[in-house]
């Protein structure tokens, strides 16, 4: 929960009380108000921190835009660099950002007022399909294959050319005239992944 701003606290004596009091009483009222504010600030400093969060992108990623992400702190959305007050202690900090994900645990202990940096990495992976033709098969032509990588989204990579796809589980299907259909379950969890494809002649083509 976000604590109320300091200006929301009410000192014991109002300005009207001070204005209507005799000079000595007015001075005492002001002194008591100042002492009250000092106490509130000390309590606030003990339990509350002023924080901001900054997103740092993957190395050498010149297109990374930290303002494109939403930083969710205990379910409340904030932008990168946005300063706000929060109770000290454990919190859940997550990031919603297209094609990127945060590293490390979402649990973060807020101990003091400062800027907290959240490192981000790409959630896109380079997948390369590499065919293994039959030995002595002069008719084998990888470029004639129909390749489908199907998961939450569907992609059509080309032979030997990297295809950038999101992290996840996929089914790779390769179809080629004169060859048996090749299928394989693929789980993408590394930045670069080569997938070998070994085609077999169709029985009626042998």
């Amino acid at each position: 929960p976000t604590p109320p701003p300091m200006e929301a606290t009410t000192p014991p004596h109002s300005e009207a009380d001070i204005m209507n009091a005799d000079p000595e009483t007015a001075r005492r009222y002001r002194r008591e108000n100042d002492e009250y504010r000092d106490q509130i600030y000390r309590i606030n400093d003990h339990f509350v921190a002023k924080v901001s969060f900054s997103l740092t992108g993957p190395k050498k990623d010149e297109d990374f835009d930290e303002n494109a992400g939403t930083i969710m702190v205990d379910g409340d959305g904030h932008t990168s660099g946005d300063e706000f007050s929060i109770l000290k202690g454990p919190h859940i900090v997550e990031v919603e950002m297209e094609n990127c994900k945060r590293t490390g645990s979402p649990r973060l202990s807020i101990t003091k007022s400062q800027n907290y940096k959240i490192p981000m990495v790409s959630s896109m992976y380079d997948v390369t399909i590499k065919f293994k033709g039959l030995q002595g098969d002069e008719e084998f032509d990888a470029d004639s294959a129909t390749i489908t990588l199907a998961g939450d989204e569907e992609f059509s990579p080309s032979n030997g050319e990297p295809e950038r796809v999101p992290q996840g589980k996929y089914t790779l299907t390769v179809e080629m005239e004169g060859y048996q259909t090749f299928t394989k379950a693929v789980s993408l969890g590394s930045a670069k992944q080569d997938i070998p494809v070994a085609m077999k002649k169709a029985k009626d083509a042998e």
Side-chain angles (χ1 to χ4, degrees):
T2 301
M6 291 302 300
E7 55 267 24
T9 60
T10 304
H13 307 293
S14 68
E15 285 300 318
D17 291 338
I18 295 173
M19 293 293 294
N20 294 326
D22 60 79
E24 183 178 349
T25 302
R27 284 194 294 273
R28 178 168 60 84
Y29 281 176
R30 288 194 176 94
R31 184 174 64 253
E32 290 175 354
N33 280 358
D34 290 341
E35 291 173 352
Y36 172 83
R37 291 190 181 95
D38 287 342
Q39 290 177 350
I40 291 298
Y41 275 109
R42 284 196 296 270
I43 293 171
N44 188 74
D45 186 61
H46 182 76
F47 290 103
V48 179
K50 272 198 169 183
V51 302
S52 61
F53 292 88
S54 297
L55 302 180
T56 59
K59 291 182 179 179
K60 299 181 180 179
D61 186 353
E62 297 179 356
D63 295 327
F64 181 81
D65 180 9
E66 63 175 322
N67 296 314
T70 300
I71 302 166
M72 305 299 295
V73 182
D74 299 330
D76 294 329
H78 300 273
T79 57
S80 186
D82 179 27
E83 187 178 73
F84 57 96
S85 296
I86 192 170
L87 291 175
K88 293 178 181 179
H91 296 273
I92 299 296
V93 181
E94 299 174 302
V95 180
E96 297 177 354
M97 192 173 195
E98 187 176 1
N99 297 335
C100 284
K101 62 180 181 179
R102 68 158 297 174
T103 62
S105 170
R107 296 183 179 275
L108 178 65
S109 181
I110 302 294
T111 58
K112 60 183 179 180
S113 298
Q114 68 174 51
N115 174 266
Y116 292 84
K117 295 186 181 297
I118 302 177
M120 303 294 292
V121 295
S122 175
S123 60
M124 301 294 287
Y125 298 90
D126 287 332
V127 176
T128 304
I129 307 300
K130 293 190 174 181
F131 283 92
K132 292 183 177 180
L134 296 175
Q135 188 172 4
D137 184 359
E138 297 180 356
E139 296 180 357
F140 184 82
D141 180 13
D143 292 334
S144 67
T146 299
I147 307 170
T148 305
L149 195 61
D152 292 337
E153 300 178 61
E154 188 171 296
F155 300 88
S156 300
S158 301
N159 172 45
E161 296 294 331
E163 179 86 10
R164 289 186 67 77
V165 301
Q167 179 185 19
K169 295 183 178 180
Y170 295 85
T171 297
L172 173 65
T173 303
V174 181
E175 296 176 310
M176 185 185 300
E177 186 176 355
Y179 293 84
Q180 297 178 24
T181 298
F182 177 92
T183 59
K184 182 178 182 178
V186 178
S187 181
L188 300 180
S190 59
K192 292 183 180 180
Q193 190 164 334
D194 294 342
I195 305 176
V197 174
M199 302 298 292
K200 295 181 179 180
K201 280 279 192 178
K203 291 183 178 180
D204 56 2
E206 293 177 348

